[in-house]
Amino acid sequence: RGEKWPAQLNKLVWEKRLQRESDSSSNKDVNEAANVNATDAPKNQRRKSNPQPLVLSIGQVVPHEVTGMANYNKNLFVGVGGVEAINLSHFIGAVHGMEKLMGRGNNPLREILNYSSSKYLEPQLDLWYILTVMGPSSSQDSDADQNDGVEMKGLFIGRDVQAYDLACDLSLKVNFNLLDRSPKKMVVFLNEEYHSTWLGNKSIYRTRMAIDDGGELIVLAPWVETFGEDDCIDSLIRKVGYVGTPAIMKAMENDDELKSNLSAVAHLIHGSSEGRFSVTYCPGKLTKEEVESVGYKYSDLERMKQVYNIETLQDGWNIRTDEDGSEEEFY
């Protein structure tokens, strides 16, 4: 249909949505004929008992940067709600603060969703949640290899928040790496999937709760070439920068374009260290001036790849020694 994919939506979901619309249009005549035939039937034959519609919401509970823990009624209000629901929920979660939210199933955004669910969904739907918690496999057999070393750790089925709370408790144990101390320096390598800071800033989301105050996050990003996934978002990121929540909220007060792009506001807040630690980007295709203009430090990719050799770094703690002494970093 030639419609541009909105960056806020999963690309596969967007393509399926367009395909459904196309299929619906092509079957319009068939549907109209079926409706005509249905209206010919006597009302007492057409209208049977009207039980609550059965809705099954199936998915995985994992840590999430917007709702603390993914899934449950987020799938219905945000997943089905469309771009506006996605943008507003991201904004609310960002303003509350990612470091106060990640890994917590109980938070202000989730309270909004829970209230809406109890008021609007549960009275009208036969609604069931089927929630899984996946984690590293404890088995060494061939089945574990076929499943990429991942296995189901828990299955929770219910109609209310109790099943979700239990799944969150297990996911916190299974899907979080808890460190005995906070790293002063963390190093992240972004593969070819990450060509923008819009995507690449997952490196910040997923490390910020661990990194020490005054620490440094180094992002090795060979394929990063832009900030936003589309021209509008890219322009807003370049104009405002990752400059911390107070400054970003102040900029939004006086900028109608920002007010109408809450997803961009949320992203800018998510990607800001709030001055607690520094972020050094080492991109393959952005200049030093571009990186520093949005509030990050810059370092040359090739030089940093020599210092932090991803071929020899191990996941977790590493000790690097040179003529200046030794340095510990978490990769």
Side-chain angles (χ1 to χ4, degrees), residues 108-123:
L109 176 55
R110 184 61 73 175
E111 288 178 6
I112 294 172
L113 299 180
N114 290 348
Y115 170 81
S116 302
S117 183
S118 63
K119 184 172 179 63
Y120 299 109
L121 296 187
E122 293 171 14

Side-chain angles (χ1 to χ4, degrees), residues 33-331:
N35 288 335
V36 170
N37 292 335
T39 56
D40 291 339
K43 287 186 178 180
N44 60 356
Q45 292 181 12
R46 283 204 322 272
R47 298 191 59 183
K48 299 182 179 179
S49 60
N50 186 27
Q52 291 179 320
L54 173 64
V55 176
L56 301 178
S57 179
I58 305 170
Q60 183 180 349
V61 175
V62 292
H64 194 272
E65 63 267 20
V66 174
T67 55
M69 287 287 193
N71 228 274
Y72 186 49
N73 46 29
K74 168 184 177 291
N75 289 16
L76 301 172
F77 287 109
V78 180
V80 179
V83 172
E84 185 176 359
I86 293 172
N87 293 349
L88 182 57
S89 63
H90 279 62
F91 175 74
I92 294 171
V95 171
H96 176 62
M98 186 181 294
E99 292 181 31
K100 295 186 291 184
L101 184 145
M102 284 278 284
R104 297 174 173 89
N106 185 15
N107 56 70
L109 176 55
R110 184 61 73 175
E111 288 178 6
I112 294 172
L113 299 180
N114 290 348
Y115 170 81
S116 302
S117 183
S118 63
K119 184 172 179 63
Y120 299 109
L121 296 187
E122 293 171 14
Q124 301 182 52
L125 301 173
D126 184 14
L127 177 57
W128 289 85
Y129 295 100
I130 302 174
L131 308 172
T132 64
V133 175
M134 308 297 290
S137 175
S138 56
S139 173
Q140 302 298 320
D141 59 25
S142 59
D143 289 340
D145 294 336
Q146 292 176 3
N147 295 323
D148 295 324
V150 175
E151 67 181 12
M152 185 184 297
K153 299 293 186 179
L155 173 64
F156 303 86
I157 302 175
R159 300 191 64 192
D160 55 29
V161 73
Q162 183 180 11
Y164 176 67
D165 286 341
L166 291 171
C168 287
D169 290 342
L170 179 59
S171 180
L172 184 61
K173 297 173 183 176
V174 170
N175 300 132
F176 259 76
N177 292 325
L178 301 179
L179 306 182
D180 57 359
R181 64 188 189 280
S182 297
K184 278 290 185 183
K185 181 165 291 187
M186 301 190 78
V187 180
V188 175
F189 174 77
L190 301 178
N191 65 23
E192 64 274 10
E193 297 178 29
Y194 299 94
H195 54 86
S196 66
T197 59
W198 178 276
L199 299 175
N201 278 0
K202 288 182 182 294
S203 58
I204 301 173
Y205 310 164
R206 297 178 181 181
T207 59
R208 66 181 306 145
M209 292 186 70
I211 194 166
D212 199 9
D213 292 351
E216 180 183 18
L217 172 64
I218 297 173
V219 184
L220 306 176
W223 288 273
V224 167
E225 60 185 0
T226 187
F227 295 111
E229 286 289 288
D230 59 48
D231 291 342
C232 175
I233 299 296
D234 187 76
S235 174
L236 289 173
I237 295 172
R238 291 174 185 269
K239 179 167 67 173
V240 179
Y242 303 98
V243 292
T245 301
I248 294 166
M249 295 296 288
K250 184 67 176 178
M252 188 181 72
E253 289 180 11
N254 305 309
D255 192 318
D256 290 338
E257 190 175 18
L258 269 181
K259 290 178 183 178
S260 63
N261 283 278
L262 292 182
S263 63
V265 178
H267 169 75
L268 290 169
I269 294 174
H270 284 159
S272 299
S273 71
E274 308 296 345
R276 195 176 67 75
F277 57 93
S278 65
V279 178
T280 301
Y281 246 95
C282 312
K285 301 177 182 179
L286 285 174
T287 67
K288 179 177 186 290
E289 291 73 22
E290 287 176 305
V291 170
E292 292 180 347
S293 73
V294 298
Y296 293 146
K297 294 181 178 180
Y298 172 90
S299 195
D300 179 72
L301 175 65
E302 295 306 317
R303 184 179 72 82
M304 294 298 273
K305 283 169 65 177
Q306 293 178 10
V307 176
Y308 303 102
N309 186 348
I310 64 170
E311 300 299 329
T312 58
L313 285 173
Q314 302 293 316
D315 287 348
W317 294 102
N318 294 262
I319 297 178
R320 183 177 56 84
T321 304
D322 57 23
E323 63 273 11
D324 297 323
S326 62
E327 178 188 75
E328 187 178 50
E329 63 257 352
F330 194 93
Y331 177 68

